Every structure is written in structure tokens, then in C-alpha cells.
């Protein structure tokens, strides 16, 4: 209790800028009421909003209680007009709407016998007084003006309390964030209302596709208590919106340059007396947008190319292996395009289409203990395509339908694979890698030929529909949103890593045939299975279904009850159908002036089941599918045996010894197609249930002055039913022999048996956010 009191005291001295937040895929709402000078409601007032940039307009009429709501607006700057015969027309300029925002704009109209208009400057409300959600947003100007180390807008999420960001070091598109203590996998990335997620690995490498700063209109992050529109995540929801063309042509161009010649010599390069690698960071790009047809059809194009080459210096002289020291440059390139078209089909229907494409090759990526011949290359193609149809059904009904497609083509291998191997089939690639010289893992050096190779194809097709209903004067006003999510996902994977075998050594001394003290002590290799190839398997196509209902009900003008429920199901989880997540809360404006809100919420949030966790039993089951990694002598350390095998083989080098040991393993026909260290399915112990988190929050926010407010939120999250990678049959290190198990009625010697089960201990975190 004392800690919570202390945190509230800190509010007095903590100042951070904030903006109102409410969930809404990639749109915004405006609500409010019209009254006469005596404060009585004015029904029948025509409320018109006009987008200052595109000319698009929307008109609704106030209800019997004087209330109105305009739903599904594209974020931007608007002019709002209130008109009623017999009253002065009121026009407010410069109303700024942000993604997910639902500000309240109230007006008092004065009687007049003349046709006159009163024009004022609109003040966008600082406080969202109708939502329990916790989070914040940044506009395009803020994103472009803030300094960035790698031009990734994802890292700006760290400006919000409760968010920790980590820059990716291996690639420009691998930035991750941790929200309220949750795992980095448990975040959802959306661009223009469509998923931008990696279905294989989750959020541990950020979003699927990167986009330039200059292409982003705004991005929002919800850290807790988001409404029922959003599901399949226990962490944060990141909503990004790309720019659109306007009625005027606009564009920017940029160029960035850094050179290693401008920097001092790196410490490790100087110590090893190695020539400094020539590296540079080039970046260039442009955006352009404008009208095709005024007030009706607009286009927007963005291009970015970044080439941040980085020095790679590995100095092994301190461990007596100066012969392996080297310096080179890691060559990175990123090309990305954004192509967008917006078309007003009719007064009530708008169509939009956007393609985001990225190509990211990388050369000479190295680990801290790799020699130069262990450098790795990567080729990565990513793209997303989304179309949306906005339909105004009536003054009180709005529908948004979205269709999207996301794809990743990722190839990751050592340079020699790209240069010499026939990569047309997994079999030919496996055969090529298996002929490489073996990998040599010394104590502190990874030498030899790394032999790593993997290929992955992710495809996702997604359909979303959200119907928004405004129901006034039903024991208060109701802002209702209901809809569905349906997607089909598939992951195809192949891998030939370790097909060339791996020797492990006790020390760092280079292998010498004439010195038995330098001999290896362990060996492992990937053996071709029944198909003769490395692990390759097209996982069954999976399906995802989500249904939601959200009612933000105002029984009285200064109190909003946020009532929502969501149901999620994934075919991966088979019989797990009871994933019902209530989302309940309230927002109270105690003085009714829109300057203070007290909010609280409670909800259950289900996470998605990643293909990376699901595929293990398919690829590494007890019986062979396509390839099995085998350890010589069960992986026991035995240098004397390696010396003996060298003598028996008549070999004088490790490649020859590798071939001899592989042939010996393949000769053991009975065990070639059997994995002694499998990952298996569970049965009757929570087979592939979806993880979830129960969250409670309470907070208060107050506007101190124009453009300055202060807020504090306390959030508690209990993560439950977490997936644990458990061992059912531990390897006996004491006696150096496998455990015994029965498989299909036959005794088998297993080393270890692994299983993914939902048996994680509840992880509770309490977080306090201070915003001003």
C-alpha cells in the first residue's frame, strides 16, 4: 500500500505529454451534443465533418437528446459545422482526429433570424473521458522530428510508460518491445487495420514488414485494457496508419550518410592491429501524394532504401588463435515501398487499397565467436496487401470491411550455400550442404563451415468486418461495435543445418592430426530420414476465428460503461473452444467538463498460438519425417573414442572422419528412422490450449492547461496457462546413458523426450504508468 501511495505522490512532479486513446482499428470517431443557450438539447442539428486534406464529408443529425456520433473517420484535420434553421451556424476549424480517438465536441447554438455563421478555432480535447484504455499515440510530425538510431518507428513506443524497447542488432527490421512485463512475442502489429505479424515467431522480431517514417501518418500503442475489437494478444496493440494523398500534391525527399572514415578506429580493431573495415550508412528515399480526381480519388507513394554497413571485427589473439582474427563489413540493405490508393465511390462508400513491400538482403552477418568462413547471408522478401470498404449505412450505422494478405519469404544460410548449391528442391540443398567440410566448435571459436540453412514461407489471408451502431436515447447513448475476424495461415519450412556434421573440442587449439590432444571429443550430424532430406514439412493450414461485441454505454452524460466480450478460436488448439474474454470497465468525468477522467477496467486477453511452438512435434517426433539429428555415443564426451575412430577409419582429416562416422550411423538401419530425443504431443494434459492473461487497472487523468495533462494508471497482469517446454524423460548425466521408455509396445532408449504443455506458473506483474 505504501508503494502505491508513493507512486501517486510522484504524479505531482512527473510531467509527460499525452493524448486521448480509444480502440478503433484504423479510424476515429467524433461524438458530442448540441444545446441551446439554456442548456436544453437541440434535436435535428445537422453535424457535418469535412476532411481538410481530401474534401471528404460526413453528415449526421442530432438525436432527441441532442447527441450525435460520427463513426469511421480517417485520422486527420477536420472542419466541423453545426447547422439548424433559426440558429446561428457554428463552424469549428482545425479539429485534429487521431487514430483510435473518440473526442467529445459540444456546441451551444444561439437563436438568430439571419443566415450567419460563427467560425471558431476547434480545440481538440486532451482527455478521452469515455474509455478505460491505457496507451498513447504519435503523429507523423512527431515521428519525423524525434531522433532515431535506425529509422524504426516501433522504437518510439518506449516513450510510453510500461513499454521497454530493444533495438535489433542483426537486422534493421528486428526491433522488439516489451509491454507491461509481457514477453515480446505477445504483441500485435497492425498497419491500416490489417495484421502485420509474424505467425512463425510472433513479435520477437517486431512487425512483419517495415515502412519508412515518411510513410506513416500516425501510430498508436495500447498497453492495457483495449476493447474487444482487438484479440490474440496479451501484450500491447500497435496500430499504425499510413499517409494518404490529398487534394494538393505534396512530397519529400531525403538522404542520410555516415562514413567510417569520419569515426575513430574501433578499440578491438586497433588492438588486433587489423585494418579498419570501410563501412558506411547510406539512406535515401522520397514520398509523393496528390489527387487523381479532386475530392474523390487520391494516391500516395513512398520509397526508402537504407544501407547500414557495419564493422565486424573478431579478435581471437587473446586465446592464442590470432590466425582466426579478421575484420570485414556486414552488408545490410533494405528497400521498401508503400503504394496507396483512396477512392470515394459515392457519398456513402469509400474504397482504399495499400501495398507495402520490403526486400532485405544481408551479407556477412557474424556471431561473436565465428571465424570469417562462418559468416551468414540472408534474403528476406515481405509484403502486405490490404483493401478496405467503408460504408455509411445511415446516420447511426457505419461498416468497415477489410481483406488483407501477408507473406514472408525468408532464406537464411552461409554465403557458400547461396553461391554453390542447387536450391531448387530441399533434397538438392540438403545434398549440397552435407558435402561441406564439418563445423568445428572449439571452446571459444566457431570454425570450419557453419553449414546452416533454413527457408521459410509464411502466408496469411485475413478478413475483418466491424459494424458500428450509434443508439441514442436508449436509457442513455450506446456506441456499439460488433464484428468478426477470420484468417487462414500456413507456414512452409525446410532446413539442412548440421547436414555437414559438427565436431566439438575441449579447448581452442587448432586440430592437428599428429597431436591427439587437439582431437575432438563429440560429434553430431543431421541424417537424412525416410525421404533422404533435411527437416522439411509443410504444416497443415490453420484457421483463426474471432467474434466480438463492444458497447460503450453512457447512462448519464459524464459516465461511460465499457462493456465488451470477445471469443477466439484457432484450429491449432483443436478442442479449445471456451476462449471467452470479457472486457469490462468505466470512465467517469466527475465534473462533466471533459478535463478529468477516472477510469478502471478488468479483462481477459487470449494470446495466439505460434507456429514455431506448434511445428516441433511435426518435425521432431519419435518416428522420422524427413531428418533426425544424431549424436555419436549419445553425445558423451569421449576424446579417447574419437582418437580410436580416427585410427579405425584410416583418416587424416576431420572431413574424412565425418564421412566415416556418418556411414557408421547410417549402417544402424534400425535407428536411422527413429529419434532418440523427440518432441512429442501431449494427451490429456492441456493439449495446445491458448494462453491468456487477466488484467486489472485503475487510473486518473486531468488536464492542467491547453495541451498539457497528467495521468497515472496502475495495471496488474496475471499471465496464465503459459506454454512450457518440458522434459518427460531426462537424460542421465550421472551414468552417461539414456533413459528407458516404451514406444508402440517396444522398449526404446530415449535420451530425452520434450513436450510443449500449458503448465506455466502464473506470472504476475503490477505496473504504474505516469503520463503528463
Amino acid at each position: 500500500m505504501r508503494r502505491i501511495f508513493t507512486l501517486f505522490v510522484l504524479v505531482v512532479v512527473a510531467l509527460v505529454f499525452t493524448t486521448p486513446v480509444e480502440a478503433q482499428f484504423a479510424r476515429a470517431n467524433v461524438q458530442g451534443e448540441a444545446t441551446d443557450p439554456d442548456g436544453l438539447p437541440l434535436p435535428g442539428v445537422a453535424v457535418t465533418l469535412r476532411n481538410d486534406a481530401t474534401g471528404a464529408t460526413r453528415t449526421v443529425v442530432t438525436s432527441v437528446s441532442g447527441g450525435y456520433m460520427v463513426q469511421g473517420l480517417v485520422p486527420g484535420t477536420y472542419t466541423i459545422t453545426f447547422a439548424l434553421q433559426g440558429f446561428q451556424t457554428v463552424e469549428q476549424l482545425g479539429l485534429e482526429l487521431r487514430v483510435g480517438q473518440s473526442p467529445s465536441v459540444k456546441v451551444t447554438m444561439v437563436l438568430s433570424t439571419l443566415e450567419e455563421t460563427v467560425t471558431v478555432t476547434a480545440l481538440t480535447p486532451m482527455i478521452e473521458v469515455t474509455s478505460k484504455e491505457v496507451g498513447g499515440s504519435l503523429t507523423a510530425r512527431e515521428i519525423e522530428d524525434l531522433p532515431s538510431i535506425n529509422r524504426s518507428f516501433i522504437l518510439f513506443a518506449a516513450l510510453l510508460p510500461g513499454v521497454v524497447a530493444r533495438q535489433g542488432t542483426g537486422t534493421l527490421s528486428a526491433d522488439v518491445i516489451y509491454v507491461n512485463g509481457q514477453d515480446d512475442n505477445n504483441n500485435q502489429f497492425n498497419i491500416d487495420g490489417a495484421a502485420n505479424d509474424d505467425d512463425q515467431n510472433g513479435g520477437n522480431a517486431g512487425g512483419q514488414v517495415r515502412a519508412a517514417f515518411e510513410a506513416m501518418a500516425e501510430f498508436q500503442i495500447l498497453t492495457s485494457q483495449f476493447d474487444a475489437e482487438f484479440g490474440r494478444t496479451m501484450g500491447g496493440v500497435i496500430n499504425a496508419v499510413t499517409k494518404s494523398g490529398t487534394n494538393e500534391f505534396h512530397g519529400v525527399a531525403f538522404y542520410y550518410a555516415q562514413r567510417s572514415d569520419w569515426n575513430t578506429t574501433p578499440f578491438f580493431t586497433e588492438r588486433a592491429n587489423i585494418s579498419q573495415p570501410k563501412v558506411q550508412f547510406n539512406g535515401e528515399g522520397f514520398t509523393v501524394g496528390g489527387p487523381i480526381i479532386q475530392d474523390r480519388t487520391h494516391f500516395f507513394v513512398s520509397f526508402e532504401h537504407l544501407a547500414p554497413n557495419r564493422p565486424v571485427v573478431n579478435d581471437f589473439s587473446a586465446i592464442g588463435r590470432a590466425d582466426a582474427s579478421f575484420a570485414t563489413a556486414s552488408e545490410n540493405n533494405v528497400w521498401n515501398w508503400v503504394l496507396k490508393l483512396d477512392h470515394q465511390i459515392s457519398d456513402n462508400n469509400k474504397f482504399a487499397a495499400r501495398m507495402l513491400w520490403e526486400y532485405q538482403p544481408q551479407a556477412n552477418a557474424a556471431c561473436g565467436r565465428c571465424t570469417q568462413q562462418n559468416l551468414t547471408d540472408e534474403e528476406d522478401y515481405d509484403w502486405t496487401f490490404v483493401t478496405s470498404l467503408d460504408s455509411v449505412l445511415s446516420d447511426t450505422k457505419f461498416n468497415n470491411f477489410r481483406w488483407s494478405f501477408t507473406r514472408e519469404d525468408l532464406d537464411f544460410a552461409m554465403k557458400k550455400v547461396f553461391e554453390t548449391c542447387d536450391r531448387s528442391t530441399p533434397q538438392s540443398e540438403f545434398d549440397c550442404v552435407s558435402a561441406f567440410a564439418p563445423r568445428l566448435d572449439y571452446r571459444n571459436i566457431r570454425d570450419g563451415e557453419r553449414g546452416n540453412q533454413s527457408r521459410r514461407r509464411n502466408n496469411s489471408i485475413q478478413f475483418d468486418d466491424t459494424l458500428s451502431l450509434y443508439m441514442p436515447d436508449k436509457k442513455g447513448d450506446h456506441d456499439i461495435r460488433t464484428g468478426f475476424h477470420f484468417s487462414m495461415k500456413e507456414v512452409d519450412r525446410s532446413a539442412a543445418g548440421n547436414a555437414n556434421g559438427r565436431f566439438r573440442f575441449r579447448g581452442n587449439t587448432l586440430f592437428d592430426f599428429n597431436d591427439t590432444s587437439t582431437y575432438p571429443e563429440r560429434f553430431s550430424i543431421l541424417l537424412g530420414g525416410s525421404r533422404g532430406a533435411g527437416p522439411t514439412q509443410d504444416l497443415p493450414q490453420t484457421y483463426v476465428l474471432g467474434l466480438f461485441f463492444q458497447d460503450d454505454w453512457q447512462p448519464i452524460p459524464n459516465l461511460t460503461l465499457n462493456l465488451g466480450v470477445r471469443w477466439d478460436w484457432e484450429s491449432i488448439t483443436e478442442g479449445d473452444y471456451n476462449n471467452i474474454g470479457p472486457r469490462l470497465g468505466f470512465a467517469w468525468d466527475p465534473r462533466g467538463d471533459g478535463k478529468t477522467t477516472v477510469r478502471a477496467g478488468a479483462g481477459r486477453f487470449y494470446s495466439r498460438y505460434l507456429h514455431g511452438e506448434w511445428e516441433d512435434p511435426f518435425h521432431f517426433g519419435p518416428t522420422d519425417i524427413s531428418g533426425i539429428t544424431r549424436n555419436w555415443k549419445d553425445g558423451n564426451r569421449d576424446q579417447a573414442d574419437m582418437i580410436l575412430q580416427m585410427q579405425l577409419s584410416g583418416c587424416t582429416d576431420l572431413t574424412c572422419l565425418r564421412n566415416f562416422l556418418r556411414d557408421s550411423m547410417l549402417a544402424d538401419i534400425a535407428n536411422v528412422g527413429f529419434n532418440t530425443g523427440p518432441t512429442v504431443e501431449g494427451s490429456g494434459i492441456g493439449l495446445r490450449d491458448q494462453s491468456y492473461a487477466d488484467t486489472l487497472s485503475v487510473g486518473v487523468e486531468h488536464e492542467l492547461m491547453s495541451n498539457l495533462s497528467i495521468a497515472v494508471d496502475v495495471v496488474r497482469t496475471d499471465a496464465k496457462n503459459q506454454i512450457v517446454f518440458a522434459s518427460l524423460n531426462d537424460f542421465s548425466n550421472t551414468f552417461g546413458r539414456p533413459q528407458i521408455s516404451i514406444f508402440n509396445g517396444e522398449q526404446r532408449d530415449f535420451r530425452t523426450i520434450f513436450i510443449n504443455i500449458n503448465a506455466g506458473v502464473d506470472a504476475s506483474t503490477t505496473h504504474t504508468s505516469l503520463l503528463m
Side-chain angles (χ1 to χ4, degrees):
M1 191 66 183
R2 181 178 299 176
R3 291 181 181 178
I4 295 177
F5 175 76
T6 303
L7 289 170
F8 271 88
V9 172
L10 290 176
V11 176
V12 180
V13 295
L15 296 178
V16 184
F17 287 99
T18 187
T19 57
V21 174
E22 181 181 349
Q24 259 287 323
F25 43 97
R27 300 291 187 267
N29 294 342
V30 174
Q31 59 183 319
E33 61 181 348
T35 59
D36 65 16
D38 296 323
L40 298 175
L42 282 177
V45 177
V47 183
T48 302
L49 278 97
R50 184 180 189 275
N51 188 306
D52 295 343
T54 67
T57 62
R58 290 276 303 279
T59 300
V60 299
V61 177
T62 58
S63 66
V64 173
S65 61
Y68 72 92
M69 174 171 285
V70 187
Q71 302 159 317
L73 296 168
V74 175
T77 302
Y78 285 79
T79 297
I80 181 170
T81 303
F82 300 86
L84 180 64
Q85 186 174 4
F87 289 82
Q88 287 181 341
T89 297
V90 179
E91 182 180 66
Q92 295 191 14
L93 308 178
L95 176 64
E96 183 182 359
L97 299 183
R98 293 191 171 188
V99 59
Q101 184 180 354
S102 185
S104 179
V105 179
K106 302 178 181 180
V107 65
T108 299
M109 303 185 68
V110 179
L111 288 168
S112 175
T113 58
L114 302 176
E115 292 185 3
E116 57 181 338
T117 300
V118 178
T119 302
V120 297
T121 300
L123 293 177
T124 303
M126 281 290 298
I127 305 295
E128 175 57 75
V129 296
T130 63
S131 176
K132 68 184 184 309
E133 294 175 327
V134 182
S137 63
L138 290 173
T139 64
R141 182 62 181 270
E142 291 166 332
I143 295 172
E144 294 168 8
D145 288 349
L146 289 170
S148 170
I149 194 172
N150 65 354
R151 292 179 51 79
S152 170
F153 69 87
I154 294 297
L155 294 179
F156 291 138
L159 295 173
L160 293 175
V163 180
V164 176
R166 186 193 72 208
Q167 180 194 357
T169 56
T171 173
L172 281 177
S173 298
D175 300 319
V176 300
I177 58 174
Y178 303 87
V179 179
N180 289 341
Q182 289 293 309
D183 188 88
D184 55 352
N185 284 321
N186 296 335
N187 296 313
Q188 183 182 99
F189 296 88
N190 301 316
I191 297 182
D192 295 326
N196 186 39
D197 293 316
D198 186 335
D199 293 312
Q200 173 76 9
N201 298 321
N204 65 9
Q208 184 73 76
V209 189
R210 176 190 175 96
F213 277 174
E214 289 75 13
M216 307 311 299
E218 186 178 351
F219 98 97
Q220 170 200 48
I221 178 168
L222 302 172
T223 60
S224 182
Q225 300 302 347
F226 38 87
D227 287 342
E229 285 108 317
F230 300 103
R232 306 185 69 231
T233 178
M234 301 187 302
V237 175
I238 296 87
N239 292 316
V241 178
T242 56
K243 292 179 179 177
S244 296
T246 67
N247 279 333
E248 297 180 356
F249 288 98
H250 290 283
V252 299
F254 61 87
Y255 177 74
Y256 299 92
Q258 296 179 10
R259 298 289 184 272
S260 59
D261 295 341
W262 304 342
N263 303 327
T264 59
T265 303
F267 170 79
F268 291 106
T269 304
E270 186 175 19
R271 188 182 72 173
N273 195 27
I274 302 173
S275 298
Q276 180 179 357
K278 301 297 183 181
V279 295
Q280 59 190 18
F281 185 169
N282 292 331
E284 64 274 350
F286 68 86
T287 68
V288 61
I292 298 175
I293 302 175
Q294 287 282 332
D295 292 340
R296 183 167 293 273
T297 308
H298 305 87
F299 77 94
F300 178 80
V301 177
S302 166
F303 167 75
E304 178 188 54
H305 171 233
L306 300 178
N309 297 340
R310 305 170 184 174
V312 176
V313 179
N314 280 356
D315 176 19
F316 301 113
S317 58
I319 57 174
R321 288 294 305 275
D323 63 291
S325 299
F326 71 96
T328 187
S330 174
E331 302 172 7
N332 298 271
N333 278 278
V334 177
W335 285 271
N336 63 69
W337 287 88
V338 177
L339 308 175
K340 190 172 184 180
L341 178 71
D342 295 274
H343 176 62
Q344 193 74 35
I345 302 173
S346 65
D347 290 343
N348 293 328
N349 294 280
K350 177 185 175 182
F351 172 81
R354 186 265 300 153
M355 185 183 75
L356 200 165
W357 176 86
E358 176 187 55
Y359 171 52
Q360 184 178 172
Q362 179 174 292
N364 296 336
C367 68
R369 54 192 291 260
C370 294
T371 59
Q372 190 161 6
Q373 61 182 329
N374 270 257
L375 301 178
T376 297
D377 287 7
E378 176 183 342
E379 287 192 356
D380 191 7
Y381 293 88
D382 302 285
W383 61 88
T384 67
F385 181 78
V386 57
T387 63
S388 65
L389 178 63
D390 292 348
S391 300
V392 180
L393 306 179
S394 70
D395 284 358
T396 59
K397 298 181 182 67
F398 173 82
N399 192 79
N400 174 268
F401 175 79
R402 304 181 300 281
W403 173 85
S404 62
F405 173 76
T406 302
R407 180 176 176 85
E408 177 183 36
D409 288 355
L410 175 64
D411 293 287
F412 186 81
M414 62 181 293
K415 185 184 295 291
K416 188 174 180 180
V417 175
F418 287 100
E419 294 176 344
T420 65
C421 290
D422 175 7
R423 306 177 63 239
S424 60
T425 66
Q427 178 67 62
S428 61
E429 198 161 27
F430 178 85
D431 292 341
C432 179
V433 174
S434 64
F436 290 175
R439 172 172 150 181
L440 310 178
D441 280 0
Y442 294 94
R443 183 171 184 176
N444 301 107
I445 303 176
R446 180 180 292 169
D447 205 349
E449 295 190 350
R450 192 171 179 181
N452 65 318
Q453 179 278 325
S454 65
R455 175 179 295 180
R456 189 173 77 239
R457 303 289 184 267
N458 298 4
N459 292 320
S460 175
I461 298 175
Q462 178 177 319
F463 301 88
D464 293 273
D465 190 87
T466 300
L467 175 64
S468 301
L469 307 172
Y470 175 55
M471 299 179 61
D473 310 320
K474 306 293 183 182
K475 296 185 178 179
D477 295 343
H478 297 261
D479 174 16
I480 296 175
R481 299 179 301 281
T482 185
F484 72 88
H485 163 95
F486 176 75
S487 57
M488 299 176 290
K489 304 175 184 296
E490 62 180 3
V491 177
D492 303 337
R493 187 196 113 167
S494 66
N498 202 28
N500 59 327
R502 176 174 57 176
F503 288 101
R504 297 186 181 182
F505 298 79
R506 185 174 303 169
N508 293 315
T509 305
L510 188 66
F511 169 75
D512 181 357
F513 171 72
N514 297 312
D515 183 357
T516 56
S517 67
T518 66
Y519 277 43
E521 59 181 9
R522 285 186 286 181
F523 174 73
S524 66
I525 191 170
L526 177 69
L527 297 176
S530 58
R531 300 188 199 172
T536 174
Q537 178 77 6
D538 297 345
L539 295 178
Q541 191 171 59
T542 62
Y543 302 92
V544 177
L545 179 62
L547 305 174
F548 70 88
F549 178 86
Q550 180 75 37
D551 182 6
D552 294 334
W553 172 32
Q554 287 186 307
I556 56 177
N558 64 336
L559 174 66
T560 302
L561 302 180
N562 306 120
L563 311 174
V565 63
R566 183 180 180 92
W567 175 76
D568 288 293
W569 170 81
E570 300 187 23
S571 60
I572 292 179
T573 59
E574 295 183 339
D576 188 21
Y577 297 108
N578 61 344
N579 301 320
I580 299 175
R583 316 278 178 87
L584 308 175
F586 71 87
W588 174 46
D589 179 2
R591 295 190 296 184
D593 57 1
K595 296 183 181 297
T596 304
T597 183
V598 178
R599 56 191 175 221
R604 173 163 291 184
F605 303 85
Y606 283 89
S607 187
R608 61 184 180 272
Y609 207 105
L610 300 178
H611 283 80
E613 296 165 339
W614 183 45
E615 70 179 356
D616 284 349
F618 287 89
H619 290 173
F620 308 111
T623 55
D624 172 55
I625 290 180
S626 53
I628 291 175
T629 297
R630 298 298 300 274
N631 294 276
W632 181 261
K633 298 289 186 179
D634 294 317
N636 291 325
R637 296 183 176 183
D638 195 342
Q639 189 182 54
D641 181 69
M642 284 294 171
I643 296 172
L644 174 62
Q645 298 304 320
M646 185 72 82
Q647 294 171 347
L648 293 174
S649 66
C651 294
T652 60
D653 61 76
L654 293 177
T655 300
C656 177
L657 179 61
R658 183 273 313 277
N659 295 338
F660 176 79
L661 296 177
R662 177 170 57 192
D663 291 343
S664 298
M665 291 179 174
L666 290 172
D668 185 7
I669 301 298
N671 287 319
V672 168
F674 192 82
N675 187 2
T676 59
T679 299
V680 300
E681 289 274 22
S683 179
I685 50 176
L687 174 59
R688 291 202 303 266
D689 288 342
Q690 288 179 237
S691 304
Y692 64 91
D694 289 332
T695 300
L696 296 171
S697 70
V698 61
V700 61
E701 185 172 1
H702 177 66
E703 181 178 336
L704 298 177
M705 61 183 71
S706 177
N707 293 324
L708 183 63
S709 68
I710 184 170
V712 59
D713 291 274
V714 180
V715 181
R716 179 176 176 82
T717 301
D718 293 329
K720 301 179 179 179
N721 219 26
Q722 302 299 290
I723 296 174
V724 174
F725 190 58
S727 174
L728 299 181
N729 195 7
D730 291 331
F731 180 73
S732 174
N733 290 315
T734 304
F735 301 103
R737 67 170 184 264
Q739 302 293 317
I740 308 300
S741 292
I742 303 298
F743 181 76
N744 288 341
E746 179 182 350
Q747 179 176 304
R748 287 285 190 169
D749 294 343
F750 285 94
R751 293 178 61 248
T752 41
I753 303 174
F754 296 105
I755 187 171
N756 287 317
I757 56 175
N758 294 99
V761 177
D762 293 359
S764 300
T765 60
T766 301
H767 173 76
T768 301
S769 302
L770 297 175
L771 287 173
M772 248 185 132

